[in-house]
């Protein structure tokens, strides 16, 4: 990380956690673990998170809060410390927002012996959104208690956003539903299975990459495999597009941009002796650099056309814009650093590299300053290599309390006018 321009006094390791109110009660800590396990057992895909939304809403209402479901019917926002009977913020200083994503992935849960594995076939919380949701819920409950005691320094908004996994992401719909109205600053976490539980990773500037979707279809007259010279050999054409287009693109953009084209699906043909008339590829385009991301559609269209022409195939390219990189604001990154140091000491914060993963949290940062932290979820002694978007993904559940501590400290340390 780049050193801050203005040095601040941070607590030593021996005093970490002692200077701020808002400690997580043990009873609530246990409740949050059970809440997360319930979500884990009942994963829902993007824009279908009705049960998840209802569970969050019910717990917030039990705490005396007034959540509002977003216009699409899933996801919700909830303001704390507004001083109004309706719970809606009417002030001028602006809200500090905590954001969580609530959707799951369309993959099977392959954990063999886990008591809380998914009960829904081919659905799993394999990216940690159940943890993100539980962290923001827990932080909201702690902050609501502080508000009742008159110890909440300024109002807070909880944003539970649907459809993060559905390009271009549910953040845009949440924003359109008013999630950012009155918000001046926003923070989020994302689970990181490579960082030990009890720690967070931070980075100034870009922390994720841009991510787009690419669908290509190729067409030709088809024919007999005995006479490929009389037709369009579409299987060979699609194979060459799959291998050559990434190589061509890599030579037409600056290598430092980190632009990567990776295929996830390729389909063509139905039998061994018939050259098909249609073939399809689908993949993602990821990029670390904003300028190269803006150029990528034109470069890829041209490369696909050139390769297809060599084999007399007719291409159709559907380039779907996804999300730009998440670019952490330096001042908000400093705030998260100070918050974690206040709770657990500065040694609990580590540098994190820029990821090629995409995150629609970036859309919020087009409107207000904010930052995302990597939340360590790896058991410290566990040497098993797990990754996101895999069916055996799981977390060290102590990370839930760490995330709650981070967010509540960030709210308490935040200075609205800076």
């Amino acid at each position: 990380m780049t050193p801050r321009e203005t040095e601040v006094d941070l607590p030593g390791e021996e005093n970490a956690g002692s200077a701020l109110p808002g400690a997580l009660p043990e009873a609530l800590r246990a409740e949050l673990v059970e809440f997360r396990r319930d979500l884990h057992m009942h994963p829902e895909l993007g824009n279908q998170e009705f049960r998840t939304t209802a569970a969050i809403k019910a717990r917030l209402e039990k705490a005396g809060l007034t959540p509002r479901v977003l216009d699409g019917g899933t996801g919700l926002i909830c303001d704390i410390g507004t001083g109004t009977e309706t719970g809606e913020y009417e002030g001028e200083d602006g809200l500090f927002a905590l954001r969580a994503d609530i959707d799951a992935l369309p993959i099977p849960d392959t954990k063999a012996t886990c008591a809380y594995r998914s009960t829904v076939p081919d659905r799993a919380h394999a990216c940690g959104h159940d943890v993100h949701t539980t962290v923001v819920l827990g932080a909201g409950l702690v902050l609501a208690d502080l508000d009742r005691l008159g110890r909440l320094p300024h109002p807070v908004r909880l944003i539970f956003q649907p459809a993060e996994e559905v390009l271009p992401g549910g953040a845009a719909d949440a924003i359109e539903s008013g999630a950012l109205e009155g918000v001046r600053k926003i923070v989020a976490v994302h689970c990181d299975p490579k960082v030990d539980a009890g720690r967070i990773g931070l980075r100034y500037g870009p922390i994720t990459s841009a991510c787009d979707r690419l669908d290509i279809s190729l067409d030709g007259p088809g024919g007999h495999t005995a006479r490929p010279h009389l037709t369009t050999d579409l299987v060979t054409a699609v194979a060459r597009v799959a291998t050559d287009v990434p190589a061509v693109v890599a030579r037409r953009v600056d290598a430092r941009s980190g632009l990567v084209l990776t295929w996830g699906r390729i389909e063509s043909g139905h039998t061994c002796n018939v050259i098909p008339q249609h073939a399809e590829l689908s993949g993602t385009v990821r990029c670390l650099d904003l300028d190269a991301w803006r150029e990528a559609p034109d470069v890829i269209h041209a490369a696909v056309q050139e390769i297809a022409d060599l084999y007399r195939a007719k291409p159709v390219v559907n380039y779907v814009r996804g999300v730009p990189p998440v670019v952490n604001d330096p001042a908000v990154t400093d705030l998260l650093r100070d918050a974690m140091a206040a709770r657990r000491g500065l040694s609990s914060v580590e540098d994190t590299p820029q990821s090629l993963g995409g995150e629609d949290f970036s859309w919020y940062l087009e409107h207000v300053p904010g930052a995302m932290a990597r939340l360590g979820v790896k058991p410290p002694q566990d040497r098993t290599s797990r990754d996101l978007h895999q069916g055996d993904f799981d977390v060290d559940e102590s990370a839930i309390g760490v995330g709650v501590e981070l967010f509540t400290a960030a709210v308490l340390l935040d200075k609205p006018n800076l």
Side-chain angles (χ1 to χ4, degrees), residues 4 80 97 117 125 233 254 284 287 328 335 349 372:
R4 62 172 71 235
I80 303 171
R117 63 179 297 187
H125 269 295
D233 187 353
D254 191 329
T284 60
C287 188
N328 281 349
L335 174 63
V349 182
M372 171 175 281

Side-chain angles (χ1 to χ4, degrees), residues 3 29 49 56 122 168 170 181 224 313 323 345 350 364 385 405:
R29 190 185 302 271
E49 312 96 330
I56 301 166
D122 298 321
E181 290 179 6
H224 200 296
V323 295
E350 63 183 61
Y364 298 106
S385 178
E405 293 171 359

Side-chain angles (χ1 to χ4, degrees), residues 16-318:
S18 62
L20 290 175
L24 180 60
E26 287 304 314
L28 180 55
R29 190 185 302 271
E31 179 191 348
L32 293 176
V33 169
E34 291 305 311
F35 188 90
R36 179 258 167 173
R37 291 185 176 187
D38 180 72
L39 296 185
H40 200 83
M41 293 173 67
H42 301 92
E44 297 174 300
L45 299 184
N47 295 316
Q48 300 174 23
E49 312 96 330
F50 297 102
R51 184 187 185 279
T52 303
T53 298
I56 301 166
K57 183 174 182 287
R59 186 60 184 91
L60 292 171
E61 289 176 338
K62 182 180 178 181
L65 299 170
T66 311
R68 174 174 72 83
V69 176
L70 298 178
D71 296 343
T74 64
L76 63 158
I77 62 175
C78 183
D79 294 347
I80 303 171
T82 62
T84 65
E85 293 183 2
T86 63
E88 296 182 4
Y89 182 63
E90 299 175 358
E92 297 180 356
D93 291 337
L95 293 145
F96 188 104
L98 312 177
R99 175 268 196 174
D101 37 12
I102 67 175
D103 58 324
L105 286 161
I107 64 175
D109 188 334
T110 60
K111 296 188 292 294
T113 59
C114 178
Y116 51 84
R117 63 179 297 187
S118 172
T119 61
V120 184
D122 298 321
R123 303 287 185 268
H125 269 295
C127 201
H129 294 188
D130 52 340
V131 174
H132 307 165
T133 298
T134 306
V135 164
V136 172
L137 174 66
L141 297 176
V142 172
L143 294 170
D145 284 341
L146 290 177
D147 184 45
R148 282 187 283 272
L149 295 172
R151 304 187 72 180
L152 186 66
H154 45 75
V156 174
R157 172 166 293 166
L158 314 179
I159 300 175
F160 297 92
Q161 173 216 303
E164 191 275 333
E165 298 287 356
V166 182
L167 289 177
D173 293 332
I175 293 169
E176 189 173 339
S177 292
L180 283 185
E181 290 179 6
V183 170
R184 57 178 173 79
K185 194 175 295 183
I186 188 167
V187 295
V189 293
H190 197 295
C191 290
D192 191 333
K194 295 179 176 60
V195 176
D196 286 350
R199 302 174 62 81
I200 65 167
L202 287 177
R203 179 180 175 86
Y204 292 89
I207 191 172
T208 70
S209 78
C211 180
D212 299 333
R213 176 176 172 175
L214 180 62
D215 297 306
I216 300 172
S217 64
L218 299 174
D219 289 287
H224 200 296
T225 56
R227 292 177 286 279
H229 59 290
L230 298 180
T231 185
T232 296
D233 187 353
L234 211 60
V235 172
T236 299
V238 74
R240 299 305 299 187
V241 168
T243 57
D244 291 356
V245 168
V248 170
V249 170
R251 290 297 179 267
R252 294 184 181 176
V253 297
D254 191 329
R256 294 170 295 181
S257 70
L259 192 150
V260 177
L261 169 55
T262 307
W263 307 110
R265 184 181 71 92
I266 182 169
E267 294 183 13
S268 185
H270 300 285
T271 189
C272 67
N273 62 345
V274 176
I275 295 174
Q277 296 178 320
H278 185 74
E280 296 180 354
L281 307 91
S282 296
T284 60
V285 180
R286 300 177 187 273
C287 188
L288 301 176
D289 178 76
L290 197 57
D291 290 335
W293 177 67
R294 294 190 176 109
E295 298 172 5
D298 291 339
V299 174
I300 289 172
H301 271 84
V304 171
Q305 187 68 57
E306 290 174 21
I307 303 304
D309 285 347
L310 293 174
Y311 296 90
R312 302 194 301 270
K314 296 179 180 179
V316 175
V317 179
N318 182 28

